[in-house]
Amino acid sequence: MDCWSRVSHFIEKGLVAVACIILAGTTLSLSAEALVRTFFSRTWGLMEELPSLFMPYLVFLLLGVALKRNLHVSVDLLPSFLKGRAKAVLDAIIYLATGVGSCLLFYGAMLGVKGFYQMGFRTTTEIAFPIWIFYLSLVVGYGLLVFFAAEMFVKSILSLAIDLRLSRSQKENG
């Protein structure tokens, strides 16, 4: 599990770095477009369109990171009433459900990318890109979400197992 945690941490840092690069690139792209349009009366539509094409990568690459850092939208009513093992069981169920749901979305995204690839659809930008490249962000994002959900599920199960083992040893010693 220690090796898995190190790999996960490395992937998490890499994803945040890629997201920062995408965000910086889109900001620079829009800023450069505005400056060139203002000072040179010239416009490149691609500079305005690329940020919207790369936003799915920004969002979907960070799904798993948001899950791992507990930054996703959640309802904290039930967890606030639960303590100890009950909360650990609920966490395990949530991570398992997230992983299963992500697997289904991953499969659907794969079918979508395959369909767009086979149909040969292209963007309507100045430079026509294959549209499947941008839908690939869903495949990568949901795949990473499955990875992080599996990690969190295993951690919650291990935490629960350690808690059970400690309680048994305390009962035997006490």
Side-chain angles (χ1 to χ4, degrees):
M1 187 68 194
D2 195 36
C3 181
W4 189 355
S5 292
R6 276 186 269 138
V7 169
S8 171
H9 183 72
F10 178 76
I11 291 172
E12 179 185 355
K13 294 293 182 185
L15 291 171
V16 170
V18 168
C20 287
I21 291 168
I22 290 172
L23 199 54
T26 57
T27 302
L28 289 173
S29 173
L30 291 172
S31 299
E33 172 62 19
L35 286 172
V36 169
R37 189 174 353 136
T38 301
F39 293 115
F40 301 108
S41 299
R42 172 95 168 103
T43 186
W44 291 294
L46 188 65
M47 299 292 272
E48 291 179 23
E49 294 162 346
L50 277 180
S52 63
L53 290 173
F54 278 103
M55 276 303 123
Y57 276 100
L58 183 66
V59 171
F60 286 101
L61 287 179
L62 293 177
L63 284 176
V65 174
L67 177 70
K68 187 173 179 181
R69 294 183 179 182
N70 202 23
L71 298 173
H72 57 283
V73 176
S74 63
V75 178
D76 294 333
L77 182 64
L78 188 58
S80 66
F81 291 119
L82 299 176
K83 302 281 186 245
R85 282 189 208 133
K87 187 169 181 342
V89 169
L90 177 66
D91 286 344
I93 290 169
I94 289 170
Y95 294 132
L96 181 63
T98 301
V100 170
S102 299
C103 283
L104 294 172
L105 293 168
F106 175 78
Y107 179 70
M110 292 265 294
L111 292 178
V113 168
K114 180 182 174 188
F116 284 126
Y117 179 79
Q118 289 173 341
M119 288 184 272
F121 286 172
R122 301 181 81 69
T123 62
T124 57
T125 55
E126 285 180 331
I127 300 172
F129 298 102
I131 205 161
W132 66 267
I133 291 172
F134 300 102
Y135 280 92
L136 199 58
S137 65
L138 278 77
V139 173
V140 174
Y142 288 130
L144 288 166
L145 186 56
V146 168
F147 173 79
F148 284 114
E151 176 192 13
M152 300 307 291
F153 175 72
V154 169
K155 280 185 178 180
S156 63
I157 293 296
L158 289 176
S159 170
L160 189 59
I162 290 169
D163 184 47
L164 287 171
R165 208 174 291 142
L166 284 174
S167 67
R168 278 189 200 141
S169 67
Q170 286 175 353
K171 284 181 183 176
E172 290 172 1
N173 294 333

